[in-house]
Amino acid sequence: MSSLLIKNATVVTSADQYSADIYVEGEKIHTIGKNLAVKADKTIDASGCYVIPGGIDAHTHMELPFMGTHSSDDFETGTRAGLFGGTTTIIDFAIQTQGKSMGEALAHWHEKAKGKAVGDYAFHMAVTDFNENTRPEVKDLVQKHGITSFKIFMAYKGALMIDDRQTIELMEEVKKYGGMVITHAENGDVVDHLIAENRAKGNKEPKYHVLSRPAVVEAEASGRIIDIAHQGKHPLYIVHMTCEEALDRVREATKRNQKVFVETCVQYLLLDESVYFQEGFEGAKYVMSPPLRKKKDQDALWAAIDQNLVHTVATDHCPFCMDQKRMGIDDFSRIPNGAPGVEHRMELMFSEGVLKDKISLQKFVDVTSTAPAKIFGLFPRKGTIAVGSDADLVILDPKQTHTLSAKTHNMNCDYSAYEGWKVTGKVKTTILRGTVAIDQGKALINKGFGQYLSRESSGKK
Ligand code: URP
Ligand code: ZN
Ligand code: ZN
């Protein structure tokens, strides 16, 4: 069994910060202590750096078939890019095709990932057709396949959306087996109406994407799903929340003692809707759903992280290259929805969040790793630095500066949503299950290293 010793680390977890050495045997953390007198096959000096748990991005879409094309990162390029930025685990979405079974979707996503993923991965199941034939699949998905989170879309009518009746019945079924429903909250009917209205007026440019998906449609759907979960006492996680109006619905729910898990994504904290109003087709780079919002929404989201109202920060990584985005050059509603992000979530949250005093170091670790691990049943194997946990460790140099660019990033996408951004704090080394995966900008492990993570529950307190 190989061994690794990390010396002089400043260990940061979601609860602690202290100086120690970390000794790793095989894939697991074996000992944590001061001045460990132990010989290892490999020693890394982490002086001057933070050592944090490997990041967990609970919301990615690798090789997603969507809007007539596929997202441009597959499990190899996407998980490798994640590792460069300190994300060691992703939770991707296996998406059921309407009229087909969830089992088929799962088999298909396993095919995409197996032998290809460089980093570790788990799956949520996106349920797009819930009926008497697919209902019995839930038990097996949880108990045999380790899928404990089931996503529903309240938008994308005709492709992914299900109705409230299907949602209630899915929630009941999922709860029986210790799982949780997670939700894309936008009112799909109102969105479709606004899109049709804009198209009828000949409005073509990317800015009509945001104008067809105002905050109120997200707030309405968030409030509705929160109420639906409340009436049946079901756990609930809302993905990619973007705005103050939706957060207010969560805040309201806390007054009746309801707990709702909330995810936002790094782009909603850092970018705003002004990008849609640029000249030409530039705004297409940021066409995603829900869209970017206003500056006041960014402030509300940062505050909500601090107030424990937002629990996780993911990316909704769903990149499309510019020639794919150009499918919507004459019709904003045909621009594939999604943007790249998996590589830079950790560094951006450190640089813009911790160094700009918006969140503490511990909160940074919590929202990027520990909380997603706990919510989705990966803790304590993942999401912390503790004896017996997987040795998924990130050595972060807090002083090193660098500039983000499509020219240098590792994601398979020909633009960066953060082109030219100067970031302070760089991932120097990423360790995945005791093996050095990335060191000084070089990938040292290959496709197929990533393992599937089976889970037992989701949404537990
Ligand atoms: O624009 C987005 N978010 N694309 C990916 C699909 C989804 O809604 O999560
Ligand atoms: Zn979504
Ligand atoms: Zn998504």
Side-chain angles (χ1 to χ4, degrees):
M1 205 187 294
S2 68
S3 56
L4 172 69
L5 180 63
I6 303 172
K7 299 280 298 170
N8 309 313
T10 298
V11 177
V12 182
T13 68
S14 63
D16 287 309
Q17 182 167 336
Y18 53 90
S19 306
D21 300 340
I22 303 170
Y23 176 65
V24 175
E25 234 177 48
E27 299 196 334
K28 304 281 182 193
I29 297 173
H30 182 279
T31 318
I32 303 171
K34 282 223 188 266
N35 306 317
L36 291 181
V38 62
K39 279 219 176 341
D41 299 330
K42 187 176 172 65
T43 300
I44 298 176
D45 185 1
S47 297
C49 292
Y50 293 124
V51 178
I52 59 175
I56 298 173
D57 189 339
H59 191 152
T60 67
H61 301 281
M62 304 304 171
E63 214 186 322
L64 172 72
F66 196 42
M67 298 179 75
T69 184
H70 282 79
S71 58
S72 57
D73 263 318
D74 62 15
F75 276 84
E76 180 183 355
T77 60
T79 58
R80 189 193 294 119
L83 288 165
F84 272 102
T87 289
T88 47
T89 295
I90 61 163
I91 313 183
D92 206 86
F93 291 85
I95 305 207
Q96 179 193 18
T97 303
Q98 289 184 339
K100 296 198 171 161
S101 71
M102 295 187 244
E104 281 169 271
L106 181 61
H108 188 39
W109 255 261
H110 272 302
E111 255 170 56
K112 291 180 201 239
K114 199 170 166 41
K116 263 183 131 179
V118 190
D120 284 357
Y121 58 97
F123 294 130
H124 308 285
M125 175 56 63
V127 185
T128 63
D129 203 350
F130 191 66
N131 54 46
E132 285 319 305
N133 295 329
T134 57
R135 179 193 297 273
E137 292 194 271
V138 169
K139 182 174 186 218
D140 271 7
L141 284 166
V142 176
Q143 296 182 343
K144 294 201 179 129
H145 301 281
I147 308 278
T148 57
S149 36
F150 293 79
K151 182 178 185 183
I152 60 135
F153 291 92
M154 298 172 86
Y156 307 124
K157 201 170 180 178
L160 304 173
M161 179 170 152
I162 64 172
D163 64 26
D164 293 347
R165 174 83 189 263
Q166 287 175 293
T167 299
I168 297 162
E169 292 182 4
L170 176 67
M171 282 179 165
E172 275 168 7
E173 198 63 19
V174 164
K175 192 169 66 178
K176 283 187 202 160
Y177 306 106
M180 176 170 63
V181 166
I182 73 177
T183 305
H184 172 130
E186 284 184 300
N187 184 316
D189 283 310
V190 177
V191 168
D192 283 358
H193 167 76
L194 293 174
I195 290 174
E197 200 172 68
N198 274 309
R199 292 177 76 208
K201 286 183 189 155
N203 294 334
K204 296 177 176 169
E205 297 92 336
K207 69 179 177 195
Y208 292 103
H209 175 73
V210 62
L211 295 173
S212 300
R213 303 183 102 98
V216 66
V217 306
E218 186 182 337
E220 186 280 329
S222 300
R224 181 160 34 106
I225 195 73
I226 289 169
D227 287 345
I228 291 171
H230 181 66
Q231 63 75 38
K233 297 193 176 56
H234 300 296
L236 174 70
Y237 177 101
I238 301 182
V239 302
H240 52 41
M241 191 169 281
T242 69
C243 60
E244 191 175 23
E245 291 84 341
L247 275 171
D248 282 342
R249 305 294 170 112
V250 179
R251 227 183 293 273
E252 270 305 305
T254 64
K255 295 183 192 161
R256 62 186 179 199
N257 304 327
Q258 185 181 3
K259 167 138 189 199
V260 179
F261 295 107
V262 176
E263 167 196 285
T264 191
C265 297
V266 66
Q267 61 272 25
Y268 300 119
L269 293 163
L270 301 181
L271 303 171
D272 68 67
E273 66 175 15
S274 60
V275 295
Y276 297 118
F277 297 91
Q278 302 172 82
E279 277 302 299
F281 197 57
E282 197 60 17
K285 292 179 177 172
Y286 306 92
V287 165
M288 62 185 79
S289 295
L292 300 170
R293 303 292 187 197
K294 299 183 189 329
K295 185 80 189 60
K296 62 116 184 150
D297 296 299
Q298 296 177 4
D299 295 342
L301 289 169
W302 281 114
I305 292 176
D306 211 30
Q307 296 160 349
N308 298 325
L309 212 58
V310 166
H311 304 88
T312 68
V313 177
T315 59
D316 196 6
H317 177 79
C318 189
F320 296 98
C321 292
M322 284 314 286
D323 59 347
Q324 296 175 288
K325 290 278 185 183
R326 271 190 284 275
M327 288 166 61
I329 191 92
D330 291 322
D331 177 354
F332 70 93
S333 71
R334 299 195 58 222
I335 301 169
N337 286 201
V342 72
E343 186 168 350
H344 299 306
R345 178 183 67 121
M346 305 286 285
E347 291 170 344
L348 282 165
M349 286 301 291
F350 180 77
S351 189
E352 296 291 320
V354 178
L355 296 183
K356 295 195 174 163
D357 225 13
K358 294 200 164 82
I359 51 171
S360 69
L361 253 179
Q362 283 65 38
K363 186 56 108 175
F364 159 65
V365 169
D366 195 40
V367 294
T368 57
S369 179
T370 314
K374 286 181 176 170
I375 293 168
F376 291 114
L378 292 168
F379 186 84
R381 176 174 175 191
K382 305 285 190 190
T384 191
I385 298 180
V387 171
S389 293
D390 278 3
D392 294 352
L393 302 164
V394 175
I395 303 179
L396 178 86
D397 180 342
K399 299 226 166 83
Q400 195 179 332
T401 56
H402 57 121
T403 303
L404 306 186
S405 171
K407 291 197 189 80
T408 50
H409 73 201
N410 294 281
M411 296 175 285
N412 186 30
C413 189
D414 55 3
Y415 74 90
S416 169
Y418 306 94
E419 187 65 40
W421 278 48
K422 295 204 172 14
V423 172
T424 303
K426 187 160 178 31
V427 171
K428 207 170 149 190
T429 308
T430 304
I431 295 155
L432 175 57
R433 284 180 278 106
T435 296
V436 178
I438 303 291
D439 195 38
Q440 317 271 7
K442 280 206 174 58
L444 303 177
I445 57 172
N446 295 318
K447 64 177 181 177
F449 189 91
Q451 282 184 359
Y452 173 65
L453 304 167
S454 180
R455 300 174 287 130
E456 281 178 10
S457 63
S458 274
K460 292 269 174 275
K461 297 245 165 21

